[in-house]
Amino acid sequence: MARPKQEEDPRLLTKVSKLYYEEGLNQDEIMTRLQLSRSKVSRLLKRARDRGIVKITVVPPPGLFPDLEAELEERYHLKEAVVVEVRDPQSQPLVSRELGIAAANYLIRTLQDNDVIGVSWGTTLSHMVAALEPRPANGVHVVQIIGGLGPSESEVHATDLCRRLAQLLQCRLTLLPAPGIVDHGEVKEIILSDSHVRHCFELFSRITVAYVGVGAPTPDSVIMRDGSIITQEELDALLQKGAVGDIALRFFDAFGRPVLSELDERVIGISLEELRQIKRVVGVAGGPKKVEVLRGALRGGLINVLITDHVTAYQLVR
């Protein structure tokens, strides 16, 4: 007949726990001091946690949101969420700057040898690049994933962003030598026949991580500021079709489904379907007008890493 399993002595459980957690002894030191085997010490520590004698609590410093990040990750099936406490959640310029700094930290923390980094365009990504310190990267390759948009001298221009990033990482660079949007589909076909443009497009399938802005189609957005990217009439047509936002000028609805229009026939850059094939797509966005945009991108699986501000994050899990 099997001998009944004996309960561990509560006094011994408590003593081992206090030595380990409060006095800082390691398991070998406890083993010697109490004349126990190492496996016995390990088993006692586990049993103490199981019985509630030891309760481990993680107390995050102010300004960190581990529970909120975990809820975002679970709800939207994210690889990682980074939630940033921002000083003025209603100020888009301040939010963009602080998210850019967080994105720069994330980039350096996660950078791997031989990464192929796709980069779109936008104000927040410009702040990300501005916050980076020079750091040689082994075998890394930066690839521009949408043609140039807006004034070429602008710091948010995709070409400028990619060039600055490659200089900071001291790595290879492939630019997309084309405008991000052209007047007619026929012009796009001619541009796509260029060997340099084709070479850049061929690299899209090799991208291991992409950094993208997530835009809101509002009259004061970066795509509307000077009228050189899309017109108000084009924006109105997209809104009527249900567009809530865009990534690299590829518009999507509240569930992350592509909103197709004649604009797609004129955009020179990565498609949403190609974006979904990338292992890690980091969306860097936040601010007072980005909640529904981000919700759509998350629902559609267009991004799987999110870097956003704490107010937007709370609204996304509400």
Side-chain angles (χ1 to χ4, degrees), residues 107 117 119 129 132 142 161-169:
L107 188 153
I117 305 174
V119 180
V129 175
L132 285 170
V142 172
L161 280 177
C162 291
R163 186 177 287 116
R164 287 158 53 204
L165 178 59
Q167 288 172 346
L168 288 163
L169 297 179

Side-chain angles (χ1 to χ4, degrees), residues 57-61 63-75 78 81-83 310 313-314 317:
T57 303
V58 178
V59 182
L64 299 182
F65 305 90
D67 293 339
L68 184 54
E69 291 171 347
E71 190 171 356
L72 282 167
E73 289 162 1
E74 181 177 1
R75 177 169 297 196
L78 295 173
V82 177
V83 176
H310 68 289
Y314 278 120
V317 299

Side-chain angles (χ1 to χ4, degrees), residues 12-317:
L12 185 57
L13 288 172
T14 304
K15 190 175 190 66
V16 168
S17 299
K18 289 182 73 68
L19 289 173
Y20 187 76
Y21 289 104
E22 293 184 0
E23 297 187 26
L25 274 64
N26 62 38
Q27 292 190 27
D28 288 337
E29 291 169 331
I30 297 171
M31 176 184 73
T32 302
R33 183 161 171 174
L34 299 183
Q35 297 297 299
L36 301 170
S37 68
R38 198 175 194 286
S39 61
K40 175 80 168 178
V41 172
S42 179
R43 187 170 66 252
L44 288 169
L45 289 171
K46 182 180 184 307
R47 185 63 180 150
R49 291 194 298 272
D50 292 343
R51 290 185 57 176
I53 293 171
V54 172
K55 296 180 179 180
I56 300 173
T57 303
V58 178
V59 182
L64 299 182
F65 305 90
D67 293 339
L68 184 54
E69 291 171 347
E71 190 171 356
L72 282 167
E73 289 162 1
E74 181 177 1
R75 177 169 297 196
Y76 295 107
H77 310 291
L78 295 173
K79 293 181 183 293
E80 186 171 354
V82 177
V83 176
V84 181
E85 184 175 46
V86 295
R87 289 169 291 170
D88 184 358
Q90 296 305 309
S91 170
Q92 188 62 58
L94 284 177
V95 171
S96 295
R97 185 175 301 114
E98 293 177 37
L99 292 184
I101 294 170
N105 292 333
Y106 175 86
L107 188 153
I108 292 302
R109 171 169 63 85
T110 60
L111 187 64
Q112 301 290 317
D113 289 350
N114 304 312
D115 262 342
V116 180
I117 305 174
V119 180
S120 64
W121 76 302
T123 304
T124 308
L125 293 186
S126 178
H127 287 304
M128 177 188 81
V129 175
L132 285 170
E133 295 291 332
R135 172 196 175 111
N138 184 33
V140 169
H141 189 170
V142 172
V143 177
Q144 182 180 341
I145 61 175
I146 183 170
L149 294 165
S152 59
E153 68 276 8
S154 170
E155 290 186 349
V156 306
H157 196 277
T159 303
D160 182 71
L161 280 177
C162 291
R163 186 177 287 116
R164 287 158 53 204
L165 178 59
Q167 288 172 346
L168 288 163
L169 297 179
Q170 300 173 35
C171 68
R172 290 179 61 196
L173 169 65
T174 296
L175 296 174
L176 179 50
I181 187 168
V182 294
D183 292 335
H184 304 287
E186 295 84 355
V187 177
K188 177 178 175 179
E189 290 182 14
I190 294 170
I191 291 174
L192 291 180
S193 68
D194 179 81
S195 60
H196 300 289
V197 174
R198 287 203 312 272
H199 171 66
C200 187
F201 269 70
E202 288 165 0
L203 291 174
F204 291 170
S205 63
R206 294 176 47 198
I207 292 172
T208 56
V209 55
Y211 287 84
V212 300
V214 186
T218 59
D220 59 345
S221 66
V222 67
I223 62 172
M224 297 297 297
R225 281 180 191 166
D226 63 359
S228 66
I229 301 174
I230 66 172
T231 66
Q232 185 63 51
E233 291 74 20
E234 288 168 335
L235 179 62
D236 290 341
L238 287 162
L239 294 174
Q240 288 176 5
K241 290 187 174 188
V244 299
D246 81 284
I247 295 175
L249 272 193
R250 303 296 188 178
F251 287 84
F252 54 87
D253 67 11
F255 294 93
R257 298 172 299 208
V259 174
L260 301 178
S261 72
E262 63 87 24
L263 198 70
D264 287 285
E265 303 305 316
R266 299 191 285 119
V267 172
I268 300 177
I270 199 166
S271 68
L272 293 181
E273 188 54 41
E274 288 172 314
L275 197 69
R276 283 195 182 95
Q277 305 308 311
I278 297 173
K279 182 177 179 181
R280 196 158 39 102
V281 180
V282 184
V284 189
K289 297 179 181 178
K290 295 293 179 76
V291 177
E292 293 310 314
V293 182
L294 284 171
R295 199 189 307 277
L298 291 166
R299 283 171 170 169
L302 301 176
I303 59 177
N304 52 30
V305 175
L306 173 63
I307 301 175
T308 193
D309 64 274
H310 68 289
V311 174
T312 300
Y314 278 120
Q315 291 175 309
L316 286 171
V317 299

